[in-house]
Amino acid sequence: MESLLKDNLNLTRHLESTGVLSKVQHGFCQGRSCITNLLETFEAWTSVIDQGYGIDVVYLDYRKAFNTVWHSGLVTKCMGYGIDGQLLLWIKSLLQGRKMRVEVRGDHSDWVDVTSGVPQCSVLGALLFLVFVNDIPEWIRSSVKMFADDTKVWTRISALEDGHILQEDLEEDKRKLGFNPEKCKIII
């Protein structure tokens, strides 16, 4: 069913042909990859260093990124990106009414409603996650490159106060998705 949504109902084609997906996103996008992400980043950093400036870089790791996708927020973003009609109804149906329980050594917990998250290791999960995080580059003032949930944010340092914008971006982002500080890395 998910393959039908992705391919036959043209979700991927719609997102790519309308230019909706951010150009800084390289994960699960046709013609972009981990390599294109790294090459574009390397080119940007080399240019800054060649101009004689420093760079502050933060590698972000989001805490349980695919599990934190807020269903109604995702549906709202889909509508904002022109996804409507039967396709939107199918996406809602995929997300809503999910239940889960835990099994440990044959004992089961009670069933609980799943109110957030996209199915991981599924045909559509990654694509829906991209839609959910697609607006991050719109409110980050620093430079950014993404590969699904792996995000690099950096700024050129020409004066001491240049790092403040990067810090403000991180504070704003922290409120939206939540970092896993133990896995975030900083390069100065």
Side-chain angles (χ1 to χ4, degrees):
M1 183 59 78
E2 291 182 52
S3 292
L4 285 173
L5 284 173
K6 184 176 178 236
D7 299 327
N8 295 352
L9 293 178
N10 301 321
L11 178 58
T12 305
R13 190 174 311 141
H14 170 77
L15 294 172
E16 290 175 353
S17 69
T18 58
V20 166
L21 289 179
S22 173
K23 298 298 181 203
V24 303
Q25 177 61 260
H26 290 254
F28 312 110
C29 296
Q30 186 174 4
R32 292 183 249 164
S33 66
C34 184
I35 299 297
T36 60
N37 181 308
L38 292 172
L39 289 172
E40 288 179 18
T41 302
F42 182 75
E43 179 66 29
W45 292 358
T46 301
S47 176
V48 170
I49 291 169
D50 285 349
Q51 294 171 24
Y53 298 108
I55 304 173
D56 284 357
V57 181
V58 181
Y59 285 85
L60 301 175
D61 183 81
Y62 295 106
R63 180 174 282 126
K64 300 180 180 180
F66 283 75
N67 295 332
T68 59
V69 173
W70 171 44
H71 289 172
S72 58
L74 174 59
V75 169
T76 300
K77 286 184 179 190
C78 285
M79 291 186 310
Y81 294 145
I83 299 168
D84 56 11
Q86 192 65 39
L87 183 54
L88 185 63
L89 292 174
W90 279 103
I91 291 171
K92 286 181 182 180
S93 177
L94 174 73
L95 298 173
Q96 297 172 345
R98 290 181 168 272
K99 294 188 176 287
M100 68 176 211
R101 69 178 180 172
V102 177
E103 177 185 348
V104 178
R105 295 185 198 112
D107 290 327
H108 297 92
S109 68
D110 292 335
W111 287 99
V112 295
D113 292 327
V114 177
T115 58
S116 66
V118 292
Q120 295 183 42
C121 300
S122 70
V123 174
L124 274 181
L127 191 58
L128 292 174
F129 180 79
L130 294 187
V131 169
F132 188 72
V133 298
N134 192 56
D135 63 342
I136 289 175
E138 295 173 14
W139 49 263
I140 289 183
R141 294 175 291 164
S142 303
S143 298
V144 60
K145 290 285 180 200
M146 302 171 72
F147 189 89
D149 63 326
D150 294 325
T151 304
K152 298 183 273 294
V153 182
W154 72 90
T155 192
R156 179 184 78 167
I157 303 296
S158 59
L160 193 54
E161 43 294 332
D162 290 343
H164 297 297
I165 293 173
L166 179 59
Q167 183 62 44
E168 290 169 6
D169 287 340
L170 295 175
E171 289 299 321
E172 182 68 22
D173 190 47
K174 182 179 177 183
R175 287 191 291 272
K176 294 185 185 273
L177 289 174
F179 301 132
N180 184 355
E182 297 80 32
K183 292 185 177 179
C184 294
K185 303 293 180 208
I186 300 170
I187 299 173
I188 298 175

